[in-house]
Amino acid sequence: MSETSARLLSLLSLLQARRDWPGALLAERLEVSPRTVRRDVDRLRDLGYPVRASKGPDGGYRLDAGADLPPLLFDDDQAIAVAVALQTATTTVTGIEEGALRALATVRQVMPARLRQRVDALQVTTVDKYADSRRAKVDSDHLIAIGTALRAHEVLRFDYASPGASTEEFVPPRKVEPHHLVTWGGRWYLVAWDLDRNDWRTFRVDRMLPKTPSGPRFTPRELPAPDISAYIWERFRSQNQWPCQGTAILQAKAADIARYAGHEALVEELTPTTCRLTLSAWSWTGLAATFGMFESDLEFEGPTELKTAAHQLAARYTSAAS
C-alpha cells in the first residue's frame, strides 16, 4: 500500500472516531503538514466522503452524513461485531431479513482473509426458545415510526391490541409521550406516559399500530426510577404471572447468586456472605425445587406453603434415593 493511501485510511479512521478535529491536531497525529491534510481531505471528498471544513484560527474538519453511503472503515473488532450482529438481526424484527443477509455478504466480501476466517468460525444459528409464547417479532416500519416520535419528543398515536379485547368494539387510539424503547425477555416494549390515563405505561410493540402524523412536541418527564433498567425490572417483577412466590436466606454471596438466579429474581445482600433470594414459580413444589438448585445452605423465610412443599419434596427425594 502506498504511503498516500495508507495515510488516507488513517485520516478516515480519525474522522470517524470523533465529531470534530482541529486541523493542527490532525496534522500532528498523521505527522504531516496542515497543507498535506487539506490535500488528503480533498481526495476523500473526491471519493464521496462529505468532509466539512470550518474556518478560523481553530479551524478543523468534520465527517458529515451524505446523500450516498460511501465505503466505511472498520477496525477488526468493529467488523466482527457487525458481522455477528447481522446474523442475529432478524430474531425480533421482521422486514429486514433480505437486507441483513445482503449486508452480511457485503461486509464479508471486503474483509481481509484473517477476519473472514474469524467470522466464518462464528456462524450463529438462532434457536428461539421463546417461539411458543415469549418471542414476538415486530415490524421494522413500526419500530422506525415509534423511534422517530421518541427522538423528536412528539406525542405518539397508535391502535393497541390488548389481550382479550374485542375486535368489533371501537377503541380510540392511545395517545402517549414515548420515552424509551427496550427489549425484555425476547420482546420489544415502549415505555411511555399515557396522556389519557395520566400515568406511566408499558406497551408491547408487536401489539402496536402507529398512526401518522404524530402529535405535538412535549418536554420529557422524569421516570419514577433511577434509570430505565431499574424501572423495567421493577415493573415486570410486580407483574409476574407465576402464582407462587417465596423467600429464603442463602449462605452465599449476593453477586454469586445473582449470576444464576434469572432476571425475574430479587437478590438482596444481607452480609458479605449471605443474601435474601425471592423467586416465583408455577407451583410451590416447583418453587422449593428451584431454591434447591443453588449450591448453598438455605433457610426458608416463607410463606408456609413453601415450607410445606419443601418437606414434601425432601420426603420424596429421600424415598427416591433409598
Side-chain angles (χ1 to χ4, degrees):
M1 182 182 296
S2 69
E3 180 180 349
T4 300
S5 299
R7 192 175 63 248
L8 283 179
L9 290 176
S10 298
L11 174 59
L12 180 58
S13 179
L14 291 173
L15 291 172
Q16 289 180 162
R18 56 184 276 184
R19 184 172 178 82
D20 292 292
W21 278 94
L25 182 56
L26 276 178
E28 179 182 342
R29 293 289 295 271
L30 296 172
E31 298 182 349
V32 296
S33 67
R35 182 179 179 182
T36 300
V37 171
R38 290 194 295 270
R39 286 201 302 263
D40 287 347
V41 166
D42 288 337
R43 293 190 180 99
L44 288 179
R45 289 169 178 161
D46 292 338
L47 293 173
Y49 294 94
V51 183
R52 180 194 300 180
S54 57
K55 298 180 179 180
D58 296 325
Y61 301 95
R62 172 189 299 182
L63 183 62
D64 283 344
D68 299 317
L69 183 65
L72 301 177
L73 182 66
F74 296 122
D75 60 29
D76 289 8
D77 291 339
Q78 289 174 325
I80 292 174
V82 168
V84 173
L86 287 171
Q87 291 187 60
T88 59
T90 62
T91 57
T92 60
V93 182
T94 60
I96 64 171
E97 294 87 350
E98 182 182 352
L101 291 176
R102 287 191 291 111
L104 178 59
T106 300
V107 170
R108 186 185 180 280
Q109 181 179 359
V110 298
M111 282 182 173
R114 68 179 190 281
L115 291 186
R116 200 155 48 235
Q117 292 174 1
R118 294 176 66 184
V119 168
D120 290 344
L122 285 171
Q123 294 298 315
V124 179
T125 300
T126 301
V127 179
D128 193 351
K129 69 175 183 177
Y130 296 115
D132 55 343
S133 61
R134 290 294 295 167
R135 181 79 65 185
K137 289 192 175 184
V138 302
D139 190 284
S140 58
D141 291 337
H142 294 174
L143 272 181
I144 292 173
I146 295 168
T148 300
L150 193 156
R151 181 180 179 85
H153 302 314
E154 294 177 344
V155 172
L156 180 67
R157 299 182 305 117
F158 58 91
D159 291 332
Y160 192 65
S162 299
S166 172
T167 56
E168 300 179 356
E169 181 182 355
F170 173 76
V171 179
R174 305 292 288 267
K175 292 186 298 183
V176 303
E177 297 175 354
H179 281 260
H180 291 85
L181 267 173
V182 300
T183 57
W184 175 273
R187 291 174 178 157
W188 285 86
Y189 293 90
L190 172 68
V191 177
W193 177 265
D194 193 315
L195 293 170
D196 295 323
R197 290 156 179 79
N198 200 36
D199 195 9
W200 289 97
R201 290 290 189 271
T202 304
F203 302 94
R204 278 179 52 173
V205 174
D206 60 295
R207 294 176 177 168
M208 297 172 59
L209 181 60
K211 292 183 172 294
T212 55
S214 53
R217 294 177 63 87
F218 64 89
T219 300
R221 306 168 189 262
E222 289 189 10
L223 278 172
D227 52 50
I228 186 62
S229 298
Y231 174 83
I232 287 294
W233 195 87
E234 286 293 334
R235 191 81 169 187
F236 283 96
R237 188 171 64 87
S238 65
Q239 296 177 358
N240 199 318
Q241 298 179 358
W242 298 124
C244 305
Q245 185 178 84
T247 304
I249 304 298
L250 275 63
Q251 302 299 316
K253 297 179 180 179
D256 294 338
I257 297 301
R259 292 174 57 191
Y260 306 103
H263 61 255
E264 293 183 344
L266 175 61
V267 183
E268 303 171 82
E269 182 179 81
L270 301 179
T271 70
T273 57
T274 62
C275 64
R276 176 181 288 109
L277 176 62
T278 302
L279 294 173
S280 300
W282 65 95
S283 69
W284 292 112
T285 304
L287 182 60
T290 304
F291 276 109
M293 73 178 185
F294 296 97
E295 291 288 343
S296 168
D297 292 335
L298 71 160
E299 176 187 351
F300 289 118
E301 285 193 325
T304 303
E305 292 86 347
L306 174 59
K307 297 180 179 180
T308 301
H311 283 296
Q312 295 172 347
L313 196 60
R316 188 179 304 165
Y317 282 166
T318 300
S319 175
S322 62

